[in-house]
């Protein structure tokens, strides 16, 4: 089974991949200007949006934790209760 996620790669790799489209190159430049430097590809199977958002959220929590942020600070409203599911 293929992996659901690829390793992150530099945003510049995507720019070279889409060098034929000035529109894409401009958008990639805008993302770079916003401080983004990496991209992670997700398998496009109809659930890719939810998978990408969930993975990005977990990756952000891990980064906050690595910087010493407590979960209570990262999730000010707390974990959702059973009624939220």
């Amino acid at each position: 089974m293929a992996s659901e996620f690829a390793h992150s790669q530099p945003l510049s790799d995507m720019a070279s991949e889409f060098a034929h489209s000035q529109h894409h190159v401009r958008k990639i430049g805008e993302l770079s200007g916003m401080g983004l430097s990496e991209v992670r590809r997700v398998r496009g199977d109809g659930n890719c949006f939810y998978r990408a958002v969930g993975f990005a959220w977990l990756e952000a929590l891990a980064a906050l934790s690595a910087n010493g942020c407590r979960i209570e600070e990262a999730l000010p409203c707390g974990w959702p209760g059973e009624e939220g599911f």
Side-chain angles (χ1 to χ4, degrees), residues 20-56:
H20 63 278
S21 170
Q22 289 303 314
H23 176 71
H24 284 84
V25 171
R26 182 177 55 81
K27 288 292 188 182
I28 292 168
E30 290 175 10
L31 292 172
S32 181
M34 293 170 51
L36 300 174
S37 61
E38 295 182 338
V39 64
R40 184 182 308 273
R41 296 182 187 266
V42 177
R43 182 175 56 136
D45 63 353
N47 291 319
C48 50
F49 171 78
Y50 303 104
R51 186 177 295 116
V53 169
F55 193 82

Side-chain angles (χ1 to χ4, degrees), residues 1-5 43 45 51:
M1 182 172 130
S3 175
E4 303 288 328
F5 301 99
R43 182 175 56 136
D45 63 353
R51 186 177 295 116

Side-chain angles (χ1 to χ4, degrees), residues 58-71 73-74:
L58 291 173
E59 201 170 37
L61 283 176
L64 287 171
S65 177
N67 289 332
C69 183
R70 296 170 35 111
I71 291 293
E73 296 167 359

